[in-house]
Amino acid sequence: MTAPRESAPRPLARITDAAIDPIEVEKAVWTTADGAMVTFSGIVRDHDGGRDGVQHIEYSAHPTATDTLARLCGEISEEFSGPRGVVRVGAVHRIGVLEVGEIAVVAVAVAPHRAEAFAACSELIERLKHGVPIWKRQLFSDGLSEWVGVGDC
């Protein structure tokens, strides 16, 4: 992987209806100053909340979701950067209909050291899940559906 050396945070924040490639997200935030990279991929599973039979998920986002995600990424980068170096983060969330096994979200944190990268990535995905106006509707094999995350944002 070749990337420029850079000291200023460069957060990536995107909402897309296209498939997400985690490597593209990693390349967008990594520089040669970084010795640690932590990547989280959220994948659609076949069950939720003790209930089997998830067939697919429909994600939708409020028009402000990209701006909210960008602000959140900037905050995380600033909060976790410090005397041990700059932390850069990126997150891409997919919208539309996703089948079981497809990637719904990728969050990446890079830093000179692993402790900051792990902490930043964990915090990024938690804040994204509860603070970015993205909702999912799960459709089950019995024909029922449920909305998840509507009250989180």
Side-chain angles (χ1 to χ4, degrees):
M1 196 179 298
T2 304
R5 185 174 173 96
E6 153 178 326
S7 59
R10 183 179 49 159
L12 166 70
R14 188 169 63 228
I15 308 295
T16 183
D17 60 0
I20 304 169
D21 180 355
I23 294 172
E24 288 181 17
V25 183
E26 292 170 352
K27 286 180 178 179
V29 295
W30 181 79
T31 72
T32 58
D34 301 311
M37 178 185 302
V38 176
T39 304
F40 171 84
S41 294
I43 302 167
V44 177
R45 62 181 179 252
D46 66 358
H47 66 280
D48 188 55
R51 188 167 179 200
D52 291 331
V54 171
Q55 294 297 296
H56 65 269
I57 292 178
E58 297 174 4
Y59 282 98
S60 53
H62 189 273
T64 63
T66 300
D67 291 339
T68 302
L69 183 56
R71 180 184 45 75
L72 186 146
C73 286
E75 289 171 2
I76 296 289
S77 180
E78 185 176 315
E79 288 172 27
F80 286 86
S81 294
R84 289 173 37 106
V86 175
V87 175
R88 276 173 285 287
V89 299
V92 178
H93 201 297
R94 191 161 167 206
I95 56 172
V97 176
L98 281 73
E99 301 298 326
V100 171
E102 289 190 277
I103 296 174
V105 61
V106 172
V108 176
V110 296
H113 305 281
R114 69 182 176 272
E116 291 84 358
F118 274 109
C121 191
S122 180
E123 186 65 19
L124 174 59
I125 201 66
E126 286 302 315
R127 289 192 202 176
L128 186 158
K129 185 174 182 174
H130 298 290
V132 179
I134 297 172
W135 307 282
K136 69 179 178 180
R137 180 176 170 233
Q138 301 180 128
L139 287 95
F140 294 91
S141 56
D142 61 7
L144 296 177
S145 67
E146 70 180 359
W147 285 94
V148 179
V150 174
D152 287 343
C153 297

